[in-house]
Amino acid sequence: MGSRFPSHQLSNGLYVSGRPEQPKERAPTMSSVAMPYTGGDIKKSGELGKMFDIPVDGSKSRKSGPITGAPSRTGSFGGAASHSGPIMPNAAARAAYTTSGAMSSGGTGSASLKKSNSGPLNKHGEPVKKLSGPQSGGVTPSGRQNSGPIPPVLPTTGLITSGPISSGPLNSSGAPRKVSGPLESMGSMKIPGSAIIHNQAVTVLSQDDDFSFRKTFPKLILWSLILLFLMGFIAGGFILAAVHNAILLIVVVVLFGAVTSLFIWNTCFGRKAIMAYIARYPDAELRNAKNGQFVKISGVVTCGNVPLESSFQRIPRCVYTSTSLYEYRGWDSKAANPTHRRFSWGLRSLERRAVDFYISDFQSGLRALVKTGYGARVTPYVDDSLVIDVNPGTEELSPEFIKWLGERNLSSDDRKMRMKEGYIKEGSTVSVMGVVQRNENVLMIVPPPEPITSGCQWTKCIFPASLEGIVLRCEDTSKNDVIPV
């Protein structure tokens, strides 16, 4: 037809105007058949029985899926169900199946069958059942595909757990063993209060925080004295050999003996001199203390958010605890630590901790927060409340002491041992030395930025000593009455 308007002919011979309509592919349809009443019999439940590999009754069902083959919807379907989709190579057993679409072995065809499934076939012509996830019992039927790694063979227990099967340790039978918390390689007992040890609010103190005259004495002066005395001994010996005059040598020996005596005196009585200095230091009043002022406050202790418990005596609600175990080393006995000398006591175990606490000033009645936790620098001068001397060779160990040693994997051999324990519990009277810090309505005692020196005590022949961080001074709390708070 000669026209400027486009037209086309239909299949029945009629001519209509307009362009021919493009053929649209029809979306695959999904259909389902209502399952019959099973009466509780899993064999009649159809697909539910197939999930557990239980033979079901020959109920006729129909599955329909997308046809991935040729777009011409031609083909014959026989039997009660049909299979649509690609077929794996070696279709030797495809006589029992009817397919529609492209086949990997080439060609299309139809045949009657008893049962068919939608999906690919394996090399034997059997339908491939796809499974996702591990199978219970560790048995994988032939012709199935598993998604993911194959789990280890585990006994069938019937328990449903979360997480991967192979996570966690296994017991002797291969089943997963659930363990809560960290694992100990030797199965040691859990130390009570281990959660407090790893708390960031707890300051763990070491032996280096104790007073030591050798640490406080200046190293430069010490080495200068050693060099001076060495030169004096050399000069005195040379004069004695050359002129036969021993005056210089005698003077050097007397001076060396005097300096050595001073060093020994300060090493033995330096700690007591520091505690006497703290006792003589005047107490300040918190109401009149200025921000940044170094003060000494005496008052009653109140626990903060994280109270402590003593290691051996189990004293609750403490703000400071210290438990140390010493061993005496003879000639043939083992050393408690690498620096342990013979015929002396050596430190074997030390548990010393401190946390933030409150102190109520005796003079003003105000309460201040003492920042001794969260890794703060603390110098404790706390008397020991308990001292136990143990000699396994002559006496029997107490059950409490044996239990304490076992919890820390410490041996109880024939060596002499000495345990010391000190603590500051709630309601005790304590003296604190630190710097006042005011933050809005909060009054705190914080460590000073630099060490504080005690000065020379010439009447007692005591050299100056430095005090680092917050200084805690508490007498034996077992002898004093505790104020209830």
Side-chain angles (χ1 to χ4, degrees), residues 244-395:
H244 300 286
N245 190 349
I247 297 179
L248 181 60
L249 184 60
I250 294 174
V251 171
V252 172
V253 170
V254 171
L255 291 176
F256 179 77
V259 173
T260 303
S261 300
L262 285 176
F263 273 76
I264 297 175
W265 177 266
N266 280 267
T267 302
C268 297
F269 299 98
R271 180 180 175 86
K272 293 183 178 180
I274 294 297
M275 290 188 293
Y277 168 79
I278 296 173
R280 293 193 308 268
Y281 199 91
D283 292 335
E285 188 175 351
L286 280 177
R287 182 180 290 108
N288 301 327
K290 300 179 180 180
N291 191 21
Q293 179 183 353
F294 184 81
V295 296
K296 172 193 171 184
I297 304 298
S298 299
V300 181
V301 170
T302 305
C303 289
N305 297 329
V306 184
L308 298 175
E309 184 183 52
S310 63
S311 177
F312 183 73
Q313 300 181 81
R314 303 297 184 196
I315 305 298
R317 300 195 63 79
C318 297
V319 299
Y320 168 85
T321 60
S322 175
T323 305
S324 55
L325 179 65
Y326 296 88
E327 290 185 354
Y328 183 80
R329 183 184 182 187
W331 180 257
D332 297 331
S333 58
K334 298 179 181 179
N337 55 70
T339 60
H340 190 191
R341 297 184 299 270
R342 287 182 172 85
F343 306 107
S344 63
W345 291 94
L347 181 64
R348 186 179 182 185
S349 175
L350 177 63
E351 298 178 11
R352 182 178 295 168
R353 308 178 188 94
V355 293
D356 294 347
F357 63 92
Y358 294 93
I359 182 172
S360 299
D361 184 18
F362 280 150
Q363 298 187 12
S364 62
L366 297 180
R367 192 173 76 159
L369 175 62
V370 183
K371 300 293 292 183
T372 53
Y374 295 94
R377 180 67 177 174
V378 181
T379 302
Y381 292 93
V382 180
D383 294 344
D384 295 323
S385 303
L386 175 68
V387 178
I388 301 177
D389 289 327
V390 180
N391 188 0
T394 58
E395 57 183 342

Side-chain angles (χ1 to χ4, degrees), residues 106-288:
T108 60
S110 63
S112 61
L113 67 147
K114 296 180 180 179
K115 178 185 178 183
S116 65
N117 293 317
S118 177
L121 303 179
N122 59 11
K123 62 181 180 179
H124 300 291
E126 299 175 357
V128 177
K129 296 181 180 180
K130 293 185 178 180
L131 299 176
S132 176
Q135 302 296 314
S136 62
V139 180
T140 303
S142 59
R144 292 189 176 185
Q145 290 183 352
N146 291 327
S147 175
I150 300 176
V153 178
L154 300 178
T156 304
T157 60
L159 295 177
I160 300 176
T161 59
S162 61
I165 294 179
S166 58
S167 63
L170 303 178
N171 57 18
S172 58
S173 61
R177 175 169 56 93
K178 292 184 177 293
V179 179
S180 177
L183 299 176
E184 298 291 344
S185 57
M186 299 301 294
S188 59
M189 297 176 61
K190 180 181 179 182
I191 300 178
S194 61
I196 297 295
I197 300 176
H198 304 287
N199 196 333
Q200 295 181 356
V202 180
T203 299
V204 180
L205 305 176
S206 62
Q207 190 180 8
D208 297 334
D209 299 305
D210 289 338
F211 171 80
S212 177
F213 173 73
R214 290 177 295 179
K215 293 190 306 179
T216 58
F217 194 81
K219 302 298 181 183
L220 181 60
I221 298 178
L222 178 61
W223 288 107
S224 299
L225 290 174
I226 293 176
L227 181 60
L228 183 62
F229 279 112
L230 182 61
M231 294 175 61
F233 279 115
I234 294 175
F238 179 77
I239 293 176
L240 178 63
V243 189
H244 300 286
N245 190 349
I247 297 179
L248 181 60
L249 184 60
I250 294 174
V251 171
V252 172
V253 170
V254 171
L255 291 176
F256 179 77
V259 173
T260 303
S261 300
L262 285 176
F263 273 76
I264 297 175
W265 177 266
N266 280 267
T267 302
C268 297
F269 299 98
R271 180 180 175 86
K272 293 183 178 180
I274 294 297
M275 290 188 293
Y277 168 79
I278 296 173
R280 293 193 308 268
Y281 199 91
D283 292 335
E285 188 175 351
L286 280 177
R287 182 180 290 108
N288 301 327

Side-chain angles (χ1 to χ4, degrees), residues 25 27 32 43 70 83 98 181 199 215 260 316 349 428:
E25 289 190 7
S32 61
K43 295 183 179 181
H83 171 83
T98 298
N199 196 333
K215 293 190 306 179
T260 303
S349 175
S428 302

Side-chain angles (χ1 to χ4, degrees), residues 65-92:
I67 300 175
T68 59
S72 62
R73 312 171 181 276
T74 60
S76 59
F77 298 83
S82 64
H83 171 83
S84 175
I87 299 180
M88 303 300 289
N90 188 10

Side-chain angles (χ1 to χ4, degrees), residues 29-69:
T29 59
M30 301 294 294
S31 63
S32 61
V33 181
M35 295 302 297
Y37 176 70
T38 61
D41 190 359
I42 196 172
K43 295 183 179 181
K44 298 180 181 180
S45 60
E47 297 298 330
L48 181 61
K50 296 177 184 178
M51 294 173 59
F52 297 92
D53 296 334
I54 298 176
V56 299
D57 295 340
S59 61
K60 296 183 179 182
S61 61
R62 184 187 178 194
K63 296 181 180 179
S64 65
I67 300 175
T68 59

